[in-house]
Amino acid sequence: MGSTSDKIKGTANEAIGKAKQGIGEATGSDRLQGEGAVQEVKGKGQKAMGDAKDAAKDAIDRAAAAARRAAE
């Protein structure tokens, strides 16, 4: 999975998780609140994974550019 899809899925899971928590609070459903909290954390993890993939790609690109410059 690419970094963009990780970030999109993460954002969606965060939003759905927050919504579930809100509905759970409004209806008094501890189960729904718990599911929402878990889904929100999952989303944050997915977004962090996307950010890490971007950072790794940027580091690799910078290292490759430096290697090309050194070879010239």
Side-chain angles (χ1 to χ4, degrees), residues 15-35:
I16 293 167
K18 286 179 183 179
K20 281 183 179 179
Q21 289 179 70
I23 294 168
E25 286 178 31
T27 61
S29 172
D30 291 337
R31 181 187 61 80
L32 199 54
Q33 284 179 310
E35 285 179 14

Side-chain angles (χ1 to χ4, degrees), residues 6 10 13-14 18 31 36-37 46:
D6 284 334
N13 274 318
E14 270 190 274
K18 286 179 183 179
R31 181 187 61 80
Q46 286 172 314

Side-chain angles (χ1 to χ4, degrees), residues 17-64:
K18 286 179 183 179
K20 281 183 179 179
Q21 289 179 70
I23 294 168
E25 286 178 31
T27 61
S29 172
D30 291 337
R31 181 187 61 80
L32 199 54
Q33 284 179 310
E35 285 179 14
V38 168
Q39 192 162 4
E40 183 179 357
V41 169
K42 176 183 175 182
K44 288 180 181 183
Q46 286 172 314
K47 285 173 56 177
M49 179 62 77
D51 290 340
K53 286 179 181 179
D54 280 344
K57 182 183 180 313
D58 290 345
I60 291 168
D61 290 346
R62 284 193 305 273

